[in-house]
Amino acid sequence: MRNDRIRLIQPALIISFSIILSWAELLKLEKRNNKILHFYNIILGLIYLILVCQTRMLTLSILVSMTTIILVKRKGNLKQIALIILLAILMLVIYNLDFTKSFIKEFNLDSSTGSVYARQEGLDYYLKKIEDNPISPVGLLNEGDGIDVHNLERSYILHGKQGYLFVSDVGIVGLTATLGIAGSIWFVFFIVKLLRILIYIRKNNKLEDFLELVGITAFILVNIFTLIITDMERIMSLPVALAIFEYSYISCNGKFTKLNNFS
């Protein structure tokens, strides 16, 4: 629940990715593609994020991703300007809803309330676990079911004695708490690989043909410290992102070659 309304968050990540992909397709403005479906997908997706999902960070990260794509899309034209104006009008309409105003006010919460406090306490808790054991701070524990003493002990390790701390709330710190330093090192290499593919495509002057890569990268980077894509709830986005990047790289290159070969 949030603002006395039921939240539906399960399809959030799929819808978020679809918004980014549709926004990129709209800005490509290729006449051969049917744009109306993408336009409706963006409208309904944004309405869902704000009114149904009600996840503040996810909404913010989508807006950042969309803005980043606009900044990369340097060649402006009347259709692109009209599209941006339509989106701005839509956001103004949504913004003026009473529920949306209450939702936006939550961004101003001080550190002693709600999820903000839980995340800060979670950061302190999991960082202490990492400091004590950087190889496997918490590990892949299963807290189990019931009130068995051993289940309670595992639950205390996973969520603290308060019971409201979650590794999924603290981004890369949570990843490190689960998989240790090796997990965080792997994630850094993952980000580097994505950036190298972007640089490669940009060097080939084809970045504007693959604007979705810019949006996905921005989405991942914005959420490193909160809604990281390696969490159990969002892990399905990882192979999707990898597939999109690999397809784009192969399409740009004409064939598959190791990324290490480009200069």
Side-chain angles (χ1 to χ4, degrees):
M1 300 289 293
R2 174 165 286 167
N3 293 324
D4 297 323
R5 294 170 66 100
I6 296 175
R7 301 174 63 194
L8 180 62
I9 62 175
Q10 290 301 329
L13 202 62
I14 297 174
I15 293 176
S16 299
F17 261 59
S18 71
I19 292 174
I20 294 173
L21 296 177
S22 289
W23 182 244
E25 288 299 317
L26 280 180
L27 287 184
K28 291 176 185 178
L29 297 172
E30 298 170 354
K31 293 182 179 179
R32 65 179 181 272
N33 289 339
N34 184 2
K35 301 295 184 179
I36 192 67
L37 179 61
H38 295 296
F39 184 72
Y40 284 136
N41 183 55
I42 292 171
I43 293 176
L44 295 175
L46 289 174
I47 291 174
Y48 160 79
L49 287 178
I50 295 175
L51 300 182
V52 182
C53 179
Q54 305 178 57
T55 300
R56 292 162 293 178
M57 192 61 200
L58 192 58
T59 304
L60 180 62
S61 61
I62 287 297
L63 295 178
V64 170
S65 299
M66 296 171 74
T67 303
T68 304
I69 292 175
I70 292 175
L71 296 176
V72 172
K73 179 70 176 177
R74 293 172 297 178
K75 296 179 181 179
N77 52 46
L78 291 178
K79 289 184 178 180
Q80 181 178 338
I81 294 173
L83 180 62
I84 295 172
I85 292 174
L86 283 174
L87 179 66
I89 292 173
L90 173 64
M91 294 305 298
L92 285 174
V93 171
I94 297 176
Y95 174 80
N96 282 290
L97 296 174
D98 291 338
F99 173 80
T100 310
K101 291 179 179 179
S102 300
F103 175 65
I104 292 175
K105 285 181 181 179
E106 294 185 357
F107 283 92
N108 297 323
L109 290 176
D110 59 57
S111 60
S112 63
T113 57
S115 60
V116 178
Y117 175 80
R119 278 191 167 91
Q120 287 189 340
E121 189 171 341
L123 282 172
D124 293 337
Y125 176 75
Y126 293 117
L127 284 173
K128 183 64 168 58
K129 288 289 184 182
I130 295 170
E131 181 182 346
D132 292 341
N133 183 2
I135 304 301
S136 181
V138 172
L140 301 173
L141 278 179
N142 185 340
E143 58 187 300
D145 299 317
I147 57 174
D148 181 82
V149 173
H150 298 294
N151 291 341
L152 287 175
E153 289 177 353
R154 289 194 293 268
S155 180
Y156 289 154
I157 295 174
L158 284 170
H159 308 300
K161 291 190 176 181
Q162 303 88 341
Y164 55 74
L165 306 181
F166 294 89
V167 292
S168 59
D169 287 338
V170 289
I172 195 170
V173 173
L175 171 65
T176 308
T178 303
L179 300 179
I181 294 298
S184 60
I185 292 175
W186 167 83
F187 190 78
V188 170
F189 277 106
F190 164 69
I191 295 296
V192 170
K193 180 68 73 173
L194 299 188
L195 294 175
R196 293 182 69 192
I197 291 176
L198 275 178
I199 293 172
Y200 175 80
I201 293 177
R202 183 177 181 275
K203 284 185 176 181
N204 284 272
N205 297 317
K206 292 185 177 181
L207 188 57
E208 292 194 7
D209 295 331
F210 300 99
L211 291 174
E212 59 273 13
L213 303 187
V214 177
I216 292 173
T217 303
F219 180 85
I220 293 173
L221 292 176
V222 169
N223 288 300
I224 280 181
F225 297 104
T226 51
L227 308 176
I228 195 169
I229 65 170
T230 54
D231 287 335
M232 183 184 301
E233 300 171 5
R234 295 172 283 273
I235 189 66
M236 63 172 295
S237 63
L238 179 59
V240 172
L242 290 172
I244 292 173
F245 268 79
E246 182 174 357
Y247 171 80
S248 301
Y249 173 66
I250 294 174
S251 298
C252 178
N253 194 41
K255 60 181 180 179
F256 182 80
T257 57
K258 288 186 177 180
L259 191 60
N260 292 331
N261 292 339
F262 84 85
S263 58

